[in-house]
């Protein structure tokens, strides 16, 4: 598989696949043209050996937002700070990702088409318990009382968009 295909198969960013390959954690081979390739059986073996963690001890963050660019921005900043990141474009994808692997933290947009972040927060709490998985909610539309509502409903924190990546990272600790 190509780098992009391997990243899609494992559900992580291409930069993460490169790091794992460069560190020797994920076997790769190179074509005569110098392109990195991966065998599906190696990816499957890596998945079965990871036991629910995509990197050695790195906290896993699930980012749920319908804005592709914002998810990429958050992912890149968190990965640079040592986090593993999984992305979901809507609540349904987020809930499916949650069933596959329980993250250490969920970053959740409030306003999304279909089910919104409040619905997902409620479902996470019903399934896993209030506070079991910390949830940081964020929104581009910040109304008076939104942060209080988030706290009342069990969210760890609330941030308004746009936010400083360092502010986001600090709120995850």
């Amino acid at each position: 598989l190509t780098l992009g295909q391997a990243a899609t198969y494992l559900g992580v960013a291409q930069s993460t696949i490169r790091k794992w390959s460069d560190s020797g954690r994920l076997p790769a081979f190179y074509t005569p043209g110098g392109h990195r390739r991966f065998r599906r059986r190696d990816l499957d073996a890596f998945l079965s050996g990871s036991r629910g963690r995509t990197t050695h001890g790195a906290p896993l963050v699930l980012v749920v937002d319908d804005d592709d660019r914002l998810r990429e921005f958050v992912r890149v900043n968190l990965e640079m700070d040592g986090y593993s990141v999984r992305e979901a474009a809507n609540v349904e994808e987020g809930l499916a990702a949650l069933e596959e692997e329980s993250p250490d933290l969920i970053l959740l947009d409030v306003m999304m088409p279909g089910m919104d972040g409040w619905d997902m927060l409620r479902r996470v709490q019903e399934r896993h318990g209030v506070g079991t998985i910390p949830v940081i909610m964020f929104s581009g539309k910040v109304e008076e009382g939104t942060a209080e509502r988030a706290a009342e409903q069990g969210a760890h924190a609330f941030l308004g968009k746009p936010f400083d990546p360092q502010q986001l990272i600090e709120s995850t600790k």
Side-chain angles (χ1 to χ4, degrees):
L1 300 172
T2 66
L3 179 66
Q5 291 168 328
T8 300
Y9 188 76
L10 293 179
V12 298
Q14 289 184 21
S15 60
T16 302
I17 297 287
R18 271 191 221 98
K19 287 178 200 172
W20 291 341
S21 175
D22 291 344
S23 69
R25 292 188 51 224
L26 183 61
F29 65 95
Y30 292 85
T31 66
H35 299 284
R36 196 180 322 223
R37 296 290 185 259
F38 302 88
R39 291 179 184 87
R40 189 176 304 268
R41 69 175 177 265
D42 291 335
L43 298 177
D44 289 337
F46 179 79
L47 279 175
S48 65
S50 67
R51 300 222 185 268
R53 270 304 146 251
T54 50
T55 62
H56 286 235
L60 176 63
V61 179
L62 173 61
V63 180
V64 184
D65 193 313
D66 58 326
D67 183 338
D68 296 341
R69 291 184 317 191
L70 182 90
R71 283 196 323 271
E72 180 181 15
F73 169 77
V74 170
R75 177 184 47 77
V76 167
N77 280 282
L78 287 174
E79 285 179 346
M80 287 183 356
D81 208 46
Y83 293 87
S84 292
V85 180
R86 182 130 189 223
E87 298 178 43
N90 55 50
V91 170
E92 291 82 6
E93 285 182 21
L95 293 171
L98 192 59
E99 291 304 311
E100 290 174 22
E101 182 174 10
S102 184
D104 298 293
L105 173 71
I106 299 172
L107 300 177
L108 179 58
D109 186 22
V110 171
M111 297 180 62
M112 290 182 281
M115 280 191 283
D116 63 14
W118 301 115
D119 291 328
M120 181 164 175
L121 177 63
R122 182 180 44 77
R123 288 184 179 202
V124 168
Q125 292 170 341
E126 287 171 356
R127 178 97 171 131
H128 297 276
V130 176
T132 305
I133 302 172
V135 177
I136 297 175
M137 300 190 78
F138 53 88
S139 180
K141 184 177 179 186
V142 181
E143 298 173 351
E144 189 174 328
T146 305
E148 290 80 15
R149 178 181 178 194
E152 287 170 4
Q153 294 194 15
H156 182 72
F158 178 85
L159 299 172
K161 289 183 194 175
F163 45 77
D164 177 335
Q166 197 57 43
Q167 178 189 18
L168 174 67
I169 291 167
E170 287 302 315
S171 68
T172 64
K173 295 180 179 175

